[in-house]
């Protein structure tokens, strides 16, 4: 896997203590105590972090994205999900839409991460249930205890599956749920499915009891979250026996969008930056900071692998323009299982749970919270052209690698590589050498998402 240094940047949040209470239910929900978040300061950025930071600013300036909701995403993600039949969704689409974004202006997409729909169920289970009926209260406590036990068993199975997936797969290829359908993940999927069914059964008992208590709005929210009419089946054949998952819809399928572009409905765009470009202030973003990026910025595909282009980081004359034949913002919408968080922004929460960070508690909102944010759209591009101008000395140093290369990657924008589909050439202009690489691939790329910070 392409890795950079693991330098630690300035922490802006304090980890919750070990006394924070456990969360109930929520398949693939928030499972650990909130973790500290790192904020990238221009004075502490590594070479890779600096380049990603400059790219973020170039996208905001060149494409007009809003730093109040835009996240630059890595690693490179192809938007090649199949068009779904009614009532079905592919594992890859579900994983991308449902996973909670990293609390970071430039963030990693981790397909094995917590899902927002799972975390939302946990959030609802943290709302205090109001009853003066001792018999009903006793039933609620018993249901919560049963749900706790089944959740712990499910989490144990999930941790084992996630560890196996992370040890075998890089770059989310395949995504976590899709991997469960593979020979390597099949046994884990069977164990997870059995554990899921027990959690779902115990959740149904608690949801039914919720209808008998008096806390406003929670009964309807729990009923909607459990309504199977708002769920979809996974379309992957090997996952046909899996329980349905909460639905997430896209404004357009990949092939529909490509057809529009090829039919003349394209919106072109471009971004430009260089090694001398000013650093972007992450404090102006929705996350008010960014974690250190775990991926090289400048890469070349040579000798059947992606390799870092170290020469590009130190060339003060380097400039880069990335032009798109088309780019767009594709909406992502949770199904009717989702009733929002705003009505419960002040709880009431059961003991040990709080709206915002407090020592010793499990909190709901903000960095490290149970339901910090979710994706409302993804930014996609089609057939990008990358033009990079460097000095003659940089070209001479890089020439040997380039002669054996089959692709280039700048941030999340990848052209060529093992999948091919590119044209490339060098040209000279004065003291500069310019590389131009154009994608001929018919598969769009995802390079960012829009974020809805909670509560709302």
């Amino acid at each position: 896997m392409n890795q950079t240094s693991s330098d630690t940047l300035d922490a802006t949040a304090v980890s919750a203590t070990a006394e924070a209470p456990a969360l109930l239910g929520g398949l693939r929900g928030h499972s650990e105590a909130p973790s500290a978040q790192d904020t990238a300061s221009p004075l502490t950025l590594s070479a890779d972090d600096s380049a990603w930071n400059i790219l973020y600013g170039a996208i905001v300036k060149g494409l007009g994205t809003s730093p109040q909701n835009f996240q630059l995403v890595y690693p490179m993600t192809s938007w090649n999900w199949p068009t779904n039949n009614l009532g079905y969704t592919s594992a890859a689409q579900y994983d991308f839409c449902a996973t909670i974004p990293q609390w970071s202006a430039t963030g990693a997409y981790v397909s094995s991460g917590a899902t927002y729909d799972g975390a939302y169920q946990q959030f609802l289970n943290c709302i205090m249930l109001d009853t003066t009926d001792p018999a009903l209260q006793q039933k609620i406590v018993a249901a919560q205890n049963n749900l706790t036990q089944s959740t712990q068993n499910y989490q144990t199975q999930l941790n084992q599956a996630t560890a196996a997936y992370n040890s075998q797969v890089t770059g989310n290829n395949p995504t976590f749920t899709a991997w469960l359908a593979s020979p390597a993940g099949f046994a884990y999927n069977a164990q997870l499915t059995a554990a899921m069914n027990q959690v779902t059964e115990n959740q149904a008992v608690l949801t039914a009891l919720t209808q008998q208590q008096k806390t406003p709005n929670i009964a309807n929210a729990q009923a909607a979250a459990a309504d199977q009419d708002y769920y979809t089946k996974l379309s992957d054949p090997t996952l046909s026996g899996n329980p349905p998952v909460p639905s997430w819809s896209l404004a357009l399928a990949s092939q529909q969008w490509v057809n529009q572009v090829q039919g003349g409905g394209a919106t072109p765009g471009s971004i430009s930056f260089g090694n001398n470009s000013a650093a972007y202030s992450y404090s102006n973003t929705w996350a008010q900071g960014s974690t250190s990026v775990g991926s090289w910025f400048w890469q070349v595909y040579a000798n059947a692998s992606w390799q870092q282009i170290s020469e590009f980081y130190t060339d003060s004359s380097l400039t880069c323009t990335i032009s798109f034949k088309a780019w767009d913002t594709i909406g992502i919408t949770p199904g009717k299982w989702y009733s929002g968080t705003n009505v419960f922004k002040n709880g009431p929460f059961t003991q040990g749970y709080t709206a915002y960070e407090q020592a010793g508690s499990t909190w709901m909102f903000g960095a490290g919270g149970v339901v910090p944010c979710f994706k409302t759209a993804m930014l996609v591009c089609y057939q990008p052209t990358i033009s990079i101008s460097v000095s003659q000395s940089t070209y001479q140093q890089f020439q040997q690698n380039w002669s054996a290369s089959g692709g280039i990657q700048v941030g999340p924008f990848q052209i060529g590589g093992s999948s091919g589909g590119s044209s490339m050439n060098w040209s000279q202009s004065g003291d500069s050498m310019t590389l131009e690489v154009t994608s001929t691939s018919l598969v769009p790329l995802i390079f960012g998402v829009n974020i809805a910070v909670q509560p709302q």
Side-chain angles (χ1 to χ4, degrees):
M1 181 178 181
N2 299 332
Q3 294 291 333
T4 62
S5 97
S6 57
D7 295 340
T8 302
L9 307 180
D10 297 331
T12 60
V14 179
S15 296
T17 65
E19 288 75 22
L23 292 158
L24 306 184
L27 303 178
R28 271 182 68 188
H30 185 108
S31 61
E32 299 176 353
S35 58
Q37 299 295 314
D38 300 323
T39 297
S41 160
L43 297 178
T44 61
L45 294 177
S46 69
D48 278 298
D49 287 330
S50 179
W52 283 93
N53 169 277
I54 289 171
L55 176 62
Y56 186 99
I59 291 174
V60 169
K61 180 180 179 181
L63 301 183
T65 59
S66 171
Q68 296 308 304
N69 64 4
F70 171 63
Q71 180 184 65
L72 177 60
V73 172
Y74 69 93
M76 186 280 298
T77 301
S78 297
W79 185 26
N80 55 359
W81 313 325
T83 302
N84 298 310
N85 294 323
L86 184 64
Y88 289 84
T89 189
S90 69
Q93 177 176 319
Y94 171 73
D95 280 337
F96 186 86
C97 294
T99 51
I100 298 174
Q102 188 178 21
W103 190 275
S104 178
T106 298
Y109 163 47
V110 181
S111 68
S112 59
T115 62
Y116 187 81
D117 48 70
Y120 179 66
Q121 179 65 76
Q122 294 174 331
F123 168 75
L124 295 180
N125 289 341
C126 293
I127 301 301
M128 184 181 296
L129 303 181
D130 180 15
T131 178
T132 56
D133 181 349
L136 177 58
Q137 181 62 34
Q138 187 175 10
K139 291 179 181 179
I140 289 174
V141 171
Q144 290 172 332
N145 289 338
N146 290 336
L147 184 56
T148 297
Q149 293 177 7
S150 58
T151 300
Q152 290 173 342
N153 177 54
Y154 170 80
Q155 192 60 51
T156 297
Q157 303 297 333
L158 179 62
N159 290 344
Q160 293 172 356
T162 300
Y165 172 80
N166 291 337
S167 69
Q168 298 174 24
V169 176
T170 59
N172 301 308
N173 187 23
T175 67
F176 177 69
T177 303
W179 173 82
L180 290 174
S182 72
F186 186 79
Y188 294 102
N189 185 56
Q191 295 168 344
L192 280 172
T193 298
M196 285 182 210
N197 288 336
Q198 189 61 58
V199 172
T200 301
E201 181 179 321
N202 289 333
Q203 180 68 59
V205 174
L206 181 59
T207 298
L209 293 171
T210 302
Q211 310 307 305
Q212 302 175 42
Q213 55 77 62
K214 301 177 182 178
T215 299
N217 303 306
I218 188 62
N220 289 339
Q222 285 278 27
D227 194 333
Q228 296 294 294
D229 288 342
Y230 305 146
Y231 285 48
T232 62
K233 294 286 289 181
L234 294 169
S235 60
D236 310 61
T238 314
L239 298 174
S240 60
N242 279 43
V245 295
S247 66
W248 293 83
S249 61
L250 293 176
L252 283 173
S254 175
Q255 191 57 55
Q256 290 175 313
W257 186 72
V258 170
N259 290 343
Q260 286 187 7
V261 170
Q262 293 176 338
T267 301
S270 67
I271 57 176
S272 296
F273 59 96
N275 281 349
N276 283 334
S277 296
Y280 187 82
S281 177
Y282 279 140
S283 63
N284 294 328
T285 68
W286 61 274
Q288 298 183 323
S290 188
T291 59
S292 183
V293 177
S295 181
W296 296 325
F297 187 82
W298 301 105
Q299 300 182 58
V300 63
Y301 190 79
N303 300 318
S305 67
W306 287 99
Q307 302 174 21
Q308 188 180 39
I309 312 173
S310 58
E311 298 86 355
F312 281 15
Y313 294 87
T314 55
D315 185 344
S316 61
S317 69
L318 182 148
T319 59
C320 179
T321 295
I322 305 175
S323 303
F324 311 115
K325 184 174 182 179
W327 78 280
D328 208 344
T329 302
I330 307 297
I332 300 173
T333 306
K336 292 183 179 180
W337 54 265
Y338 185 58
S339 302
T341 59
N342 196 54
V343 69
F344 302 116
K345 65 182 180 180
N346 297 316
F349 299 108
T350 55
Q351 186 175 1
Y353 303 95
T354 57
Y356 294 95
E357 180 182 359
Q358 290 185 21
S361 74
T362 293
W363 64 89
M364 301 296 117
F365 309 120
V370 175
V371 283
C373 56
F374 66 90
K375 300 165 187 169
T376 61
M378 60 186 190
L379 281 70
V380 301
C381 66
Y382 185 71
Q383 294 186 343
T385 293
I386 298 175
S387 179
I388 306 171
S389 294
V390 298
S391 67
Q392 286 279 358
S393 60
T394 296
Y395 171 73
Q396 294 297 329
Q397 296 175 57
F398 177 61
Q399 186 178 19
Q400 185 175 356
N401 277 342
W402 182 251
S403 64
S405 74
I408 195 164
Q409 182 163 334
V410 179
F413 303 108
Q414 183 185 105
I415 301 178
S418 58
S419 59
S422 64
S423 64
M424 48 193 91
N425 63 82
W426 283 96
S427 61
Q428 183 173 358
S429 176
D431 294 332
S432 297
M433 295 293 293
T434 299
L435 167 66
E436 185 170 286
V437 186
T438 299
S439 170
T440 57
S441 172
L442 302 180
V443 178
L445 302 178
I446 302 170
F447 65 91
V449 294
N450 286 344
I451 301 296
V453 174
Q454 298 306 293
Q456 61 175 263

